């Protein structure tokens, strides 16, 4: 993978499962670069992923408290910009033992997205387009 982009303009945060789950799935299996990470900073663990080719980064934070239960409509959606990119990431995920799952929302199937469950049952959507 190319070096990490300088992503400083925008970020989004989400409460999440323990960071170890996200780190393995998003770094190793999806291939996102890690820009920063921390443990027990005022009671919070966190990790920041770069989103290659985009002026954004994604920060996942876990407060060590109660983790909400997965719901099929709580999803991390990665807009990958084309069918080839979705196929490359999907192949890497399948090669590491993950299996695609059916979407509860027919929108994703109609628009050729591929969904995978993370180790805690949360859904990661690989969408083959980007918003301009």
């Amino acid at each position: 993978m190319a070096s990490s982009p300088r992503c400083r303009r925008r970020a989004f945060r989400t409460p999440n499962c323990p960071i170890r789950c996200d780190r393995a799935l998003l770094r190793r299996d999806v291939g996102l670069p890690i820009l920063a990470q921390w443990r027990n900073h005022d009671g919070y663990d966190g990790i920041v992923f770069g989103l290659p080719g985009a002026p954004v980064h994604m920060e996942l934070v876990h407060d060590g408290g109660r983790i909400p239960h997965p719901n099929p409509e709580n999803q991390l959606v990665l807009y990958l910009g084309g069918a080839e990119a979705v196929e490359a990431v999907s192949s890497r995920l399948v090669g590491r033992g993950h299996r695609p799952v059916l979407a509860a929302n027919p929108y994703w199937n109609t628009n050729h997205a591929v969904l995978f469950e993370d180790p805690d049952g949360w859904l990661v959507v690989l969408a083959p387009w980007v918003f301009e």
Side-chain angles (χ1 to χ4, degrees):
M1 174 160 282
S3 64
S4 298
R6 299 277 181 210
C7 300
R8 300 291 182 242
R9 280 199 285 170
R10 296 180 209 118
F12 62 93
R13 297 174 67 171
T14 180
N16 226 352
C17 75
I19 297 303
R20 70 185 185 288
C21 302
D22 298 313
R23 184 177 204 275
L25 180 76
L26 295 174
R27 179 181 176 274
R28 184 191 67 212
D29 299 344
V30 174
L32 298 179
I34 294 175
L35 303 179
Q37 57 188 328
W38 60 92
R39 290 188 49 81
N40 198 26
H41 176 70
D42 293 330
Y44 293 87
D45 295 343
I47 191 164
V48 178
F49 292 97
L51 301 176
V56 298
H57 61 270
M58 174 177 56
E59 178 178 327
L60 303 178
V61 178
H62 177 65
D63 71 356
R66 185 182 73 80
I67 300 171
H69 294 287
N71 177 298
E73 291 305 320
N74 289 341
Q75 306 159 343
L76 171 63
V77 181
L78 301 174
Y79 295 93
L80 299 179
E84 299 81 19
V86 168
E87 178 58 35
V89 174
S90 294
S91 292
R92 189 164 49 240
L93 286 164
V94 169
R96 294 188 181 268
H98 302 280
R99 296 291 171 251
V101 297
L102 292 175
N105 183 338
Y107 175 82
W108 295 123
N109 298 325
T110 300
N111 289 285
H112 310 290
V114 180
L115 285 73
F116 290 88
E117 279 189 4
D118 77 5
D120 288 320
W122 296 92
L123 294 177
V124 176
V125 179
L126 307 177
W129 69 92
V130 295
F131 291 96
E132 301 284 330

